[in-house]
Amino acid sequence: MPRNVLIISVSGGSVYNTTDDASHSLLANGAHALAVNPFAIQSVAAFRNLWYVDGTNYKYVVGDTATVKDWEADMEDGTALPSDNDPVAATSSSSSEAAGANKARLIDIYRGRIVLAGTVNDPQNWHMLKVDNPLNNDVSPPQLEDTRAVSGNNSRVGLCPDAITGIIPWSDDTLFFGCDHSIWMMRGDPASGGSLDRLSNQTGMAWGRAWCQDPRQIVYFFGSSGIFRMSSNGQMDNLTKNRLDKFIESVDLTRDHIQMQWNRVQKQCHIFITKTLSISSSSSENISSSSSNLIPLTMAATETTHLVWDERTDSFWFDQYPVPFGPVSSWVYDADNPEDRKVLIGCWDGRLRKLDKDAVNDDTYKISTHVDYPPINLGGLSSDTMMSKIYNVMSAQSNEVSVEIRTGTSAEVALASSPVYTGQWAGASTLNVIRQRIKGNTVVLRITHAIKDQRWAVEKIERETQLAHLTR
């Protein structure tokens, strides 16, 4: 039986129902329900509802009626949701919450419990609501059942010693807390004999949902020293070490908004790194998803460079979108129709877009691409490389591409130099041959394409090279 799926979006603090044709309708009680700053908003789908936090509000969308309700007002037995009530803290909201009330900014679900964290003046604390009941936060009921609500400051498990920056529910028995400069693992239920152990003090995790999980339940996260792959036992591998060190160092985690999504169709991990100038944008939510961040950022004046890691080739690719795209938020839309199982992005211009491997343009914007093949250096530092011929066949469906060859005393110099050869390679399975002697210590081949509504693919490349005389 088909599911009833809602796509819920937030723009300017108001909550909308978004249909497949990209039309938006304001939900009942949805006007100005949440913070204007989209990077402050997170949500999680549970028990047929969508539960929201933004640091100043607690709201939830009732899935059956598409109505926004006040989560705090509906709490049972006089219990309250986490708040440190600091009047000094600055907020960014157009709603009528109590001034200065710092509330949770992180949310997820673990063992049937809504998990909250990220209050400004209590950053090491975590809170888990009653099992199967997000409207109950009674940590001291008359009968201390294992299903009761529990927090770090009133449990034997204790607080995270480090400030919590992300919540990763790996399974029903394991939850990871990403922190400012460490990673912690919770095993079991903290109300019935659970434990909290440090996995690493060598890296922390970027704020919010700077993580994703593949179908094998392997977790990928953006750490303070690289992008990591983490298995269920906590073993971590730095995928970017010695490959993208300079790029990772250039990411400012006090300013840049990190999101990660796993693309099941293409077996890729998308690492969205959004820089930003004025808060006038949207964030998108699926009834089974959420978006995140802590501090207000600003829309960049130029395209932001994102990353894509391809599992099949263990390779990273740089990716850029037009400035209005952002993305501000992202999620995997797990639809019933295979054609609709896409990574969705909420954009600065208020639109909701999807990543489509078959698209030949970026929503009317042309797609510019280039690939640099591995540098050719046959003789190390002492000899030059002589390239005499290059043979190429493009795929049968490929369009024409441009070709450049660059040389230099090293790969870095070659990539930064002007091309010594430029030409075109015909598509549609045509045999292309470059018959020109090209010499240099290091030789680099680049293929480029920037024509709208076209695609290209290489079938095969062969070359004839040999050592030349000693480099002087």
Side-chain angles (χ1 to χ4, degrees):
M1 181 177 179
R3 297 174 297 165
N4 180 26
V5 178
L6 297 177
I7 301 177
I8 305 299
S9 60
V10 180
S11 181
S14 296
V15 187
Y16 299 86
N17 181 16
T18 301
T19 61
D20 289 341
D21 62 1
S23 61
H24 305 276
S25 58
L26 185 68
L27 297 189
N29 306 323
H32 309 301
L34 294 166
V36 173
N37 170 20
F39 296 101
I41 301 169
Q42 276 203 10
S43 72
V44 68
F47 315 113
R48 299 177 64 85
N49 298 330
L50 188 60
W51 308 85
Y52 278 97
V53 298
D54 64 9
T56 55
N57 297 280
Y58 289 112
K59 304 287 185 178
Y60 69 104
V61 175
V62 180
D64 291 337
T65 62
T67 301
V68 179
K69 300 193 71 176
D70 189 325
W71 190 355
E72 291 181 289
D74 289 349
M75 291 297 289
E76 297 176 355
D77 303 321
T79 61
L81 293 166
S83 174
D84 61 28
N85 296 308
D86 179 10
V88 178
T91 63
S92 175
S93 175
S94 57
S95 59
S96 58
E97 76 281 350
N102 285 319
K103 300 169 185 177
R105 290 170 168 82
L106 300 171
I107 185 171
D108 225 297
I109 187 165
Y110 171 62
R111 297 179 67 91
R113 299 176 179 274
I114 294 290
V115 185
L116 301 170
T119 53
V120 169
N121 291 312
D122 198 12
Q124 293 85 16
N125 209 356
W126 50 266
H127 311 272
M128 296 189 182
L129 307 186
K130 186 176 181 179
V131 173
D132 298 338
N133 188 355
L135 300 178
N136 187 305
N137 192 31
D138 190 351
V139 297
S140 302
Q143 292 184 318
L144 294 180
E145 299 175 342
D146 292 345
T147 59
R148 71 185 185 278
V150 60
S151 295
N153 61 339
N154 73 347
S155 71
R156 293 182 179 181
V157 169
L159 303 171
C160 264
D162 195 3
I164 298 171
T165 57
I167 304 168
I168 307 175
W170 185 84
S171 69
D172 275 349
D173 198 53
T174 304
L175 177 141
F176 298 107
F177 284 118
C179 296
D180 183 67
H181 54 271
S182 59
I183 306 293
W184 292 77
M185 173 191 284
M186 178 177 286
R187 294 183 177 91
D189 195 306
S192 58
S195 64
L196 184 64
D197 303 295
R198 189 181 69 188
L199 289 181
S200 173
N201 62 356
Q202 301 302 307
T203 184
M205 193 178 94
W207 176 266
R209 285 202 170 87
W211 65 274
C212 64
Q213 194 171 26
D214 71 16
R216 296 174 298 164
Q217 294 189 297
I218 294 174
V219 169
Y220 304 82
F221 70 91
F222 199 108
S224 50
S225 57
I227 297 172
F228 290 81
R229 176 173 53 195
M230 181 168 61
S231 60
S232 61
N233 62 6
Q235 179 179 345
M236 291 184 285
D237 300 313
N238 190 336
L239 297 176
T240 55
K241 186 176 181 180
N242 299 326
R243 293 203 279 186
L244 291 173
D245 294 333
K246 288 185 178 180
F247 180 86
I248 295 298
E249 289 174 2
S250 72
V251 178
D252 184 351
L253 294 181
T254 67
R255 180 196 64 189
D256 299 340
H257 175 59
I258 312 296
Q259 306 165 75
M260 295 174 63
Q261 301 295 344
W262 184 262
N263 189 324
R264 299 180 185 179
V265 176
Q266 295 180 265
K267 295 180 173 59
Q268 294 174 339
C269 175
H270 293 272
I271 302 100
F272 300 116
I273 306 169
T274 302
K275 305 179 188 297
T276 57
L277 298 171
S278 64
I279 304 299
S280 177
S281 52
S282 70
S283 70
S284 64
E285 305 291 345
N286 186 307
I287 197 67
S288 61
S289 66
S290 68
S291 68
S292 58
N293 208 331
L294 173 64
I295 56 175
L297 303 176
T298 52
M299 185 169 68
T302 57
E303 291 89 350
T304 302
T305 299
H306 312 283
L307 293 174
V308 178
W309 179 73
D310 194 310
E311 179 190 40
R312 296 163 296 186
T313 59
D314 185 22
S315 58
F316 279 96
W317 300 79
F318 293 110
D319 203 5
Q320 290 184 334
Y321 303 128
V323 173
F325 288 20
V328 175
S329 61
S330 63
W331 197 252
V332 176
Y333 181 38
D334 186 17
D336 290 329
N337 186 342
E339 295 301 316
D340 290 334
R341 293 171 191 163
K342 307 287 186 181
V343 176
L344 301 183
I345 59 173
C347 305
W348 284 113
D349 60 7
R351 295 174 181 263
L352 188 65
R353 294 179 172 91
K354 63 183 179 181
L355 304 189
D356 186 351
K357 65 182 180 63
D358 296 321
V360 292
N361 61 68
D362 276 341
D363 197 9
T364 73
Y365 290 84
K366 73 176 181 180
I367 300 175
S368 299
T369 60
H370 77 266
V371 172
D372 292 320
Y373 280 78
I376 303 168
N377 178 278
L378 300 181
L381 296 175
S382 61
S383 299
D384 280 349
T385 297
M386 175 68 75
M387 180 181 293
S388 54
K389 289 182 182 179
I390 301 180
Y391 303 91
N392 158 265
V393 175
M394 305 297 289
S395 74
Q397 292 77 36
S398 178
N399 291 106
E400 183 181 80
V401 296
S402 298
V403 183
E404 299 174 356
I405 300 177
R406 302 163 187 260
T407 63
T409 54
S410 67
E412 183 179 23
V413 173
L415 286 169
S417 68
S418 299
V420 297
Y421 171 87
T422 59
Q424 304 296 123
W425 278 350
S429 299
T430 303
L431 175 62
N432 301 286
V433 184
I434 298 176
R435 294 183 176 90
Q436 180 172 324
R437 287 177 172 267
I438 297 171
K439 187 179 71 171
N441 177 266
T442 303
V443 181
V444 176
L445 169 68
R446 171 176 289 184
I447 298 178
T448 67
H449 186 276
I451 300 177
K452 186 179 176 182
D453 298 334
Q454 290 188 0
R455 65 180 76 242
W456 65 274
V458 173
E459 189 68 28
K460 192 173 184 179
I461 294 178
E462 294 180 354
R463 58 181 168 81
E464 293 183 7
T465 55
Q466 62 187 32
L467 282 173
H469 58 73
L470 292 177
T471 301
R472 302 192 179 194

